[in-house]
Amino acid sequence: MPGERCCMSNDSACSNSVMGLSVRKLELPHWLAIWLLIGVAWFLVAVAWMPTNKLYQQGLVAFLWLPALLTVFVRPAFCIELVRANKFLMLTFAGLFVWSSISLLIAEPSLFLKELKRQLYVGFFLLGVAAFVRHNERLAYQTLIFAALLLALAAVVSTVDFYVLQGYPLRLRLQGIGQLSHPILGGYVIGLVAAWLACGRVNLWVRLLALVVLLVFMLLTQSRGVWLAFLAVCVLMPLWQSSRRGWLPLVLLVLAGAPLFFVFIDVVLARGFSYRPEIWVKSLDMISLAPVWGVGFAADYHIVGGGGKVFDHSHNLLLHVAIMSGIPAVLMWLTIWAGVAWQGWRHRKTPLGSLLCASVVFSSVACLFDASSLWGTPRPEWFLTWLPLGIALGLGRTSVPAAVSQT
């Protein structure tokens, strides 16, 4: 009857309206997504282009942590779904968070509330990156590639500024602009984005030019750990990229690196192993003194090497975490990292998944030699630790989407 058809029509319209409302609750508002885009781009690019660390931190508060916090209130259903899609990683991260907090409370109770904000910074960062990636995976991939190109430009500016404008000799280790001023950490940031471009889908000539610039920067820092990390990406890339492009970075590394390698060979060999074996042995001794809870992640420790040389960290992320928060914290971090690697492997056929695979390989090698912080304030080391985790959380899905061609 006409009346019945009208009721059925109204019920259908009401049902569609409810479904539409539910779908919108699982999506970010356009204005919030743009805000997160700015924040992620700021984290990636301003690390080089901001003159001071204070400005860099302030920008992260305004452009990334604040919208991440708002996401919890504006789209709670979105956040809940993000957690559900990443139960394993979320639970393990929560375990690491709590364990590190307890170790800090035991070792340095007076610093607990003050230092707890560092962990909250990490949490907001992960939420911001994951929300942005989940909202638009294609845009997230393009943001990483665009940031890599801007950092390639920063590498050029750094090289010209250091060797030409400031007049330092070529055999002195390059110190970049902004937060890339540390030869080792700056080299790792540049090396990581070079790995992104190596497996990214970018115009061939743009990619070649940017890669050459980035490789020259890496070599001028004279950091051997960077070379090993990038070489590992080059060798293993064919595992997740079946095309011939997987061998291109290795060829470029040889062509660009061979001439400079012979220029710096005596400087590199003169540094030997840079006290690494001795530092690691002393670190193990420190771990044996507090193997369960560590000394607290806010504590300062020093390792005295041969000849009285003092080092302020273990030059190995796993040893550093063990010293700070105990062996259980290391096991939890390794579990998290295995989850990140698995997420990258599951999405290896997608552009962003390929970049995550490269990040895991590069960071795994880099953290064996130099990275020394988990809960510190945002710094270049976050590119090697929390950024891959944030991307992995954003990629968390019940099913893996088909690969999409992106340029």
Side-chain angles (χ1 to χ4, degrees):
M1 295 177 64
E4 292 179 350
R5 287 196 297 269
C6 182
C7 290
M8 292 176 62
S9 176
N10 289 337
D11 289 343
S12 177
C14 183
S15 176
N16 290 337
S17 177
V18 171
M19 290 179 62
L21 181 61
S22 299
V23 170
R24 285 197 296 273
K25 288 182 178 180
L26 295 176
E27 297 178 351
L28 293 180
H30 183 69
W31 62 269
L32 187 55
I34 294 297
W35 200 348
L36 288 171
L37 164 63
I38 296 172
V40 172
W42 180 275
F43 169 79
L44 296 170
V45 177
V47 70
W49 293 103
M50 282 299 101
T52 66
N53 184 57
K54 183 177 180 180
L55 287 174
Y56 182 55
Q57 305 285 344
Q58 291 173 340
L60 285 174
V61 172
F63 302 134
L64 186 56
W65 296 336
L66 182 54
L69 178 60
L70 286 175
T71 302
V72 177
F73 298 99
V74 175
R75 285 292 186 269
F78 177 91
C79 296
I80 292 172
E81 185 60 28
L82 185 63
V83 172
R84 286 177 178 172
N86 297 280
K87 291 179 181 177
F88 174 77
L89 281 175
M90 287 293 189
L91 286 174
T92 313
F93 173 75
L96 178 63
F97 186 102
V98 172
W99 188 274
S100 300
S101 299
I102 294 174
S103 72
L104 175 63
L105 186 60
I106 293 173
E108 298 283 350
S110 61
L111 297 177
F112 177 73
L113 293 178
K114 177 183 177 181
E115 297 298 331
L116 185 63
K117 67 180 182 180
R118 295 191 185 188
Q119 294 177 285
L120 295 177
Y121 287 164
V122 172
F124 288 135
F125 174 80
L126 292 177
L127 176 58
V129 174
F132 176 60
V133 171
R134 187 177 181 85
H135 174 74
N136 192 327
E137 183 180 329
R138 178 189 179 93
L139 182 60
Y141 166 80
Q142 293 171 338
T143 301
L144 294 181
I145 293 298
F146 184 67
L149 296 176
L150 288 180
L151 287 174
L153 179 60
V156 174
V157 173
S158 297
T159 304
V160 173
D161 176 67
F162 191 74
Y163 293 114
V164 178
L165 300 183
Q166 298 188 52
Y168 288 107
L170 185 62
R171 295 172 70 84
L172 191 66
R173 301 182 76 173
L174 173 59
Q175 298 178 24
I177 59 176
Q179 307 310 303
L180 304 182
S181 58
H182 193 290
I184 296 176
L185 298 181
Y188 279 126
V189 171
I190 293 299
L192 178 62
V193 300
W196 291 348
L197 287 176
C199 63
R201 302 178 183 182
V202 189
N203 176 274
L204 178 61
W205 293 109
V206 172
R207 189 157 60 108
L208 286 175
L209 179 60
L211 272 174
V212 169
V213 167
L214 294 169
L215 289 174
V216 170
F217 183 101
M218 291 160 53
L219 291 163
L220 290 174
T221 63
Q222 302 176 36
S223 175
R224 291 161 294 180
V226 176
W227 303 353
L228 289 175
F230 188 76
L231 181 61
V233 173
C234 295
V235 172
L236 296 178
M237 192 180 299
L239 293 178
W240 69 83
Q241 282 201 343
S242 57
S243 65
R244 295 179 180 178
R245 75 173 66 194
W247 296 103
L248 179 60
L250 186 58
V251 175
L252 277 175
L253 181 65
V254 173
L255 293 178
L260 286 174
F261 177 79
F262 286 107
V263 171
F264 294 108
I265 184 64
D266 57 330
V267 178
V268 172
L269 294 179
R271 298 208 311 271
F273 291 102
S274 299
Y275 302 97
R276 292 297 192 275
E278 186 178 359
I279 295 171
W280 295 340
V281 170
K282 294 290 182 68
S283 298
L284 291 173
D285 292 338
M286 292 188 67
I287 294 170
S288 66
L289 299 177
V292 178
W293 296 108
V295 299
F297 68 79
D300 291 324
Y301 69 90
H302 297 88
I303 298 174
V304 181
K309 190 173 179 62
V310 179
F311 302 90
D312 57 3
H313 61 82
S314 62
H315 287 277
N316 179 290
L317 183 65
L318 300 180
L319 293 176
H320 178 79
V321 173
I323 292 172
M324 291 297 205
S325 303
I327 295 175
V330 175
L331 297 178
M332 282 183 271
W333 173 253
L334 287 174
T335 304
I336 290 172
W337 202 243
V340 174
W342 172 242
Q343 200 68 277
W345 181 255
R346 289 181 67 222
H347 293 80
R348 65 188 181 278
K349 299 303 181 181
T350 67
L352 189 58
S354 180
L355 263 61
L356 181 57
C357 287
S359 297
V360 169
V361 173
F362 185 92
S363 301
S364 296
V365 176
C367 289
L368 290 177
F369 297 100
D370 290 296
S372 62
S373 175
L374 273 184
W375 300 114
T377 53
R379 60 189 68 192
E381 284 137 305
W382 280 31
F383 279 73
L384 307 177
T385 53
W386 299 123
L387 179 61
L389 176 56
I391 296 172
L393 291 173
L395 288 174
R397 297 287 195 282
T398 54
S399 61
V400 180
V404 179
S405 177
Q406 297 177 11
T407 57

Short mmCIF file of all heavy atoms in Angstrom, two decimals, residues 25 27-29 31-33 36 64-80 82 127-128 131-132:
data_model
loop_
_atom_site.label_atom_id
_atom_site.label_comp_id
_atom_site.label_asym_id
_atom_site.label_seq_id
_atom_site.Cartn_x
_atom_site.Cartn_y
_atom_site.Cartn_z
N LYS A 25 32.20 9.16 11.22
CA LYS A 25 32.87 9.09 12.51
C LYS A 25 34.19 8.33 12.42
O LYS A 25 35.04 8.48 13.29
CB LYS A 25 31.95 8.44 13.54
CG LYS A 25 30.79 9.31 13.99
CD LYS A 25 29.96 8.61 15.05
CE LYS A 25 28.82 9.52 15.54
NZ LYS A 25 28.00 8.86 16.58
N GLU A 27 36.20 8.66 9.88
CA GLU A 27 37.07 9.45 9.01
C GLU A 27 37.42 10.77 9.68
O GLU A 27 36.64 11.30 10.48
CB GLU A 27 36.37 9.73 7.68
CG GLU A 27 36.07 8.48 6.87
CD GLU A 27 35.33 8.80 5.58
OE1 GLU A 27 34.91 9.97 5.43
OE2 GLU A 27 35.17 7.90 4.73
N LEU A 28 38.59 11.28 9.35
CA LEU A 28 39.01 12.56 9.91
C LEU A 28 38.34 13.71 9.16
O LEU A 28 38.18 13.64 7.93
CB LEU A 28 40.52 12.72 9.82
CG LEU A 28 41.38 11.80 10.68
CD1 LEU A 28 42.85 12.11 10.45
CD2 LEU A 28 41.05 11.95 12.16
N PRO A 29 37.95 14.77 9.85
CA PRO A 29 37.49 15.97 9.16
C PRO A 29 38.60 16.52 8.27
O PRO A 29 39.79 16.37 8.58
CB PRO A 29 37.16 16.94 10.30
CG PRO A 29 37.06 16.11 11.52
CD PRO A 29 37.93 14.92 11.32
N TRP A 31 39.66 19.53 7.77
CA TRP A 31 40.52 20.52 8.41
C TRP A 31 41.53 19.87 9.35
O TRP A 31 42.69 20.31 9.44
CB TRP A 31 39.68 21.53 9.19
CG TRP A 31 38.85 20.94 10.30
CD1 TRP A 31 37.57 20.48 10.22
CD2 TRP A 31 39.27 20.74 11.67
NE1 TRP A 31 37.14 20.01 11.44
CE2 TRP A 31 38.16 20.17 12.35
CE3 TRP A 31 40.43 21.00 12.38
CZ2 TRP A 31 38.21 19.83 13.70
CZ3 TRP A 31 40.49 20.67 13.73
CH2 TRP A 31 39.39 20.09 14.38
N LEU A 32 41.13 18.78 10.02
CA LEU A 32 42.05 18.10 10.93
C LEU A 32 43.11 17.32 10.16
O LEU A 32 44.29 17.27 10.57
CB LEU A 32 41.26 17.16 11.84
CG LEU A 32 42.03 16.49 12.99
CD1 LEU A 32 42.74 17.53 13.86
CD2 LEU A 32 41.10 15.63 13.83
N ALA A 33 42.72 16.73 9.04
CA ALA A 33 43.67 16.01 8.20
C ALA A 33 44.74 16.95 7.65
O ALA A 33 45.94 16.60 7.61
CB ALA A 33 42.95 15.30 7.07
N LEU A 36 47.17 17.77 10.43
CA LEU A 36 48.12 16.68 10.65
C LEU A 36 49.15 16.60 9.53
O LEU A 36 50.32 16.30 9.77
CB LEU A 36 47.37 15.36 10.78
CG LEU A 36 46.58 15.14 12.07
CD1 LEU A 36 45.72 13.90 11.97
CD2 LEU A 36 47.52 15.05 13.27
N LEU A 64 51.53 19.24 15.27
CA LEU A 64 51.36 17.79 15.30
C LEU A 64 50.73 17.29 16.59
O LEU A 64 49.73 16.57 16.57
CB LEU A 64 52.71 17.10 15.07
CG LEU A 64 52.65 15.57 14.92
CD1 LEU A 64 51.71 15.17 13.80
CD2 LEU A 64 54.05 15.01 14.66
N TRP A 65 51.29 17.67 17.74
CA TRP A 65 50.76 17.14 19.00
C TRP A 65 49.38 17.69 19.31
O TRP A 65 48.52 16.95 19.80
CB TRP A 65 51.73 17.44 20.14
CG TRP A 65 53.04 16.76 19.97
CD1 TRP A 65 53.29 15.64 19.23
CD2 TRP A 65 54.30 17.16 20.51
NE1 TRP A 65 54.62 15.31 19.29
CE2 TRP A 65 55.26 16.22 20.05
CE3 TRP A 65 54.72 18.22 21.32
CZ2 TRP A 65 56.61 16.31 20.41
CZ3 TRP A 65 56.05 18.30 21.68
CH2 TRP A 65 56.98 17.37 21.22
N LEU A 66 49.13 18.95 19.04
CA LEU A 66 47.82 19.52 19.32
C LEU A 66 46.72 18.88 18.46
O LEU A 66 45.69 18.45 18.99
CB LEU A 66 47.85 21.04 19.11
CG LEU A 66 46.55 21.79 19.41
CD1 LEU A 66 46.05 21.49 20.81
CD2 LEU A 66 46.75 23.29 19.22
N PRO A 67 46.89 18.77 17.14
CA PRO A 67 45.84 18.08 16.35
C PRO A 67 45.71 16.61 16.71
O PRO A 67 44.61 16.05 16.62
CB PRO A 67 46.30 18.27 14.90
CG PRO A 67 47.76 18.58 14.97
CD PRO A 67 47.95 19.33 16.25
N ALA A 68 46.82 15.97 17.11
CA ALA A 68 46.72 14.57 17.55
C ALA A 68 45.84 14.46 18.79
O ALA A 68 44.99 13.56 18.89
CB ALA A 68 48.11 14.02 17.83
N LEU A 69 46.00 15.40 19.73
CA LEU A 69 45.17 15.41 20.92
C LEU A 69 43.71 15.68 20.57
O LEU A 69 42.78 15.05 21.11
CB LEU A 69 45.68 16.47 21.90
CG LEU A 69 44.90 16.65 23.21
CD1 LEU A 69 44.88 15.35 24.01
CD2 LEU A 69 45.49 17.79 24.04
N LEU A 70 43.48 16.61 19.65
CA LEU A 70 42.11 16.92 19.24
C LEU A 70 41.43 15.74 18.57
O LEU A 70 40.21 15.57 18.66
CB LEU A 70 42.12 18.12 18.28
CG LEU A 70 42.38 19.50 18.91
CD1 LEU A 70 42.47 20.55 17.82
CD2 LEU A 70 41.30 19.84 19.92
N THR A 71 42.22 14.90 17.90
CA THR A 71 41.65 13.73 17.24
C THR A 71 40.93 12.84 18.23
O THR A 71 39.88 12.25 17.92
CB THR A 71 42.77 12.92 16.53
OG1 THR A 71 43.44 13.76 15.59
CG2 THR A 71 42.19 11.73 15.79
N VAL A 72 41.48 12.73 19.44
CA VAL A 72 40.86 11.89 20.48
C VAL A 72 39.46 12.38 20.81
O VAL A 72 38.54 11.58 21.03
CB VAL A 72 41.75 11.87 21.74
CG1 VAL A 72 41.08 11.05 22.84
CG2 VAL A 72 43.13 11.31 21.41
N PHE A 73 39.26 13.69 20.83
CA PHE A 73 37.97 14.27 21.21
C PHE A 73 37.03 14.44 20.02
O PHE A 73 35.82 14.28 20.14
CB PHE A 73 38.19 15.62 21.90
CG PHE A 73 38.97 15.52 23.18
CD1 PHE A 73 40.33 15.80 23.20
CD2 PHE A 73 38.35 15.13 24.36
CE1 PHE A 73 41.06 15.70 24.38
CE2 PHE A 73 39.06 15.03 25.54
CZ PHE A 73 40.42 15.32 25.55
N VAL A 74 37.60 14.78 18.86
CA VAL A 74 36.78 15.03 17.68
C VAL A 74 36.32 13.74 17.03
O VAL A 74 35.18 13.62 16.56
CB VAL A 74 37.56 15.90 16.67
CG1 VAL A 74 36.76 16.08 15.37
CG2 VAL A 74 37.86 17.27 17.28
N ARG A 75 37.21 12.74 16.98
CA ARG A 75 36.90 11.47 16.34
C ARG A 75 37.32 10.30 17.25
O ARG A 75 38.23 9.53 16.93
CB ARG A 75 37.60 11.36 14.99
CG ARG A 75 36.98 12.20 13.90
CD ARG A 75 35.60 11.69 13.50
NE ARG A 75 35.06 12.40 12.35
CZ ARG A 75 34.31 13.48 12.42
NH1 ARG A 75 34.03 14.00 13.62
NH2 ARG A 75 33.84 14.06 11.33
N PRO A 76 36.63 10.12 18.38
CA PRO A 76 36.97 8.99 19.27
C PRO A 76 36.80 7.64 18.59
O PRO A 76 37.58 6.71 18.83
CB PRO A 76 36.01 9.16 20.45
CG PRO A 76 34.91 10.02 19.93
CD PRO A 76 35.52 10.92 18.91
N ALA A 77 35.78 7.50 17.75
CA ALA A 77 35.56 6.23 17.05
C ALA A 77 36.72 5.92 16.12
O ALA A 77 37.12 4.75 15.97
CB ALA A 77 34.25 6.29 16.26
N PHE A 78 37.27 6.95 15.49
CA PHE A 78 38.43 6.77 14.61
C PHE A 78 39.61 6.23 15.41
O PHE A 78 40.30 5.30 14.97
CB PHE A 78 38.78 8.11 13.97
CG PHE A 78 40.00 8.08 13.08
CD1 PHE A 78 39.88 7.81 11.72
CD2 PHE A 78 41.27 8.31 13.59
CE1 PHE A 78 40.99 7.79 10.90
CE2 PHE A 78 42.39 8.28 12.78
CZ PHE A 78 42.25 8.01 11.42
N CYS A 79 39.85 6.79 16.59
CA CYS A 79 40.96 6.36 17.43
C CYS A 79 40.75 4.93 17.94
O CYS A 79 41.69 4.14 18.01
CB CYS A 79 41.13 7.32 18.60
SG CYS A 79 41.59 9.00 18.11
N ILE A 80 39.51 4.62 18.31
CA ILE A 80 39.21 3.27 18.79
C ILE A 80 39.46 2.24 17.68
O ILE A 80 40.03 1.17 17.92
CB ILE A 80 37.75 3.19 19.29
CG1 ILE A 80 37.59 4.03 20.55
CG2 ILE A 80 37.35 1.75 19.55
CD1 ILE A 80 36.16 4.18 21.02
N LEU A 82 41.51 2.59 15.22
CA LEU A 82 42.96 2.54 15.02
C LEU A 82 43.59 1.57 16.01
O LEU A 82 44.49 0.80 15.67
CB LEU A 82 43.56 3.94 15.19
CG LEU A 82 45.05 4.11 14.90
CD1 LEU A 82 45.36 3.80 13.43
CD2 LEU A 82 45.50 5.53 15.24
N LEU A 127 50.24 8.83 17.53
CA LEU A 127 48.83 9.00 17.17
C LEU A 127 48.69 9.91 15.96
O LEU A 127 47.92 9.62 15.03
CB LEU A 127 48.04 9.57 18.36
CG LEU A 127 46.56 9.91 18.09
CD1 LEU A 127 45.81 8.67 17.62
CD2 LEU A 127 45.92 10.50 19.33
N GLY A 128 49.44 11.02 15.94
CA GLY A 128 49.36 11.95 14.83
C GLY A 128 49.79 11.33 13.51
O GLY A 128 49.11 11.45 12.49
N ALA A 131 47.31 8.44 12.51
CA ALA A 131 46.03 8.97 12.04
C ALA A 131 46.16 9.53 10.64
O ALA A 131 45.28 9.32 9.77
CB ALA A 131 45.52 10.05 13.01
N PHE A 132 47.24 10.23 10.38
CA PHE A 132 47.46 10.81 9.05
C PHE A 132 47.62 9.72 7.99
O PHE A 132 47.02 9.78 6.91
CB PHE A 132 48.69 11.72 9.08
CG PHE A 132 49.06 12.28 7.74
CD1 PHE A 132 48.17 13.09 7.04
CD2 PHE A 132 50.30 12.02 7.19
CE1 PHE A 132 48.52 13.61 5.80
CE2 PHE A 132 50.65 12.54 5.95
CZ PHE A 132 49.75 13.33 5.25
#
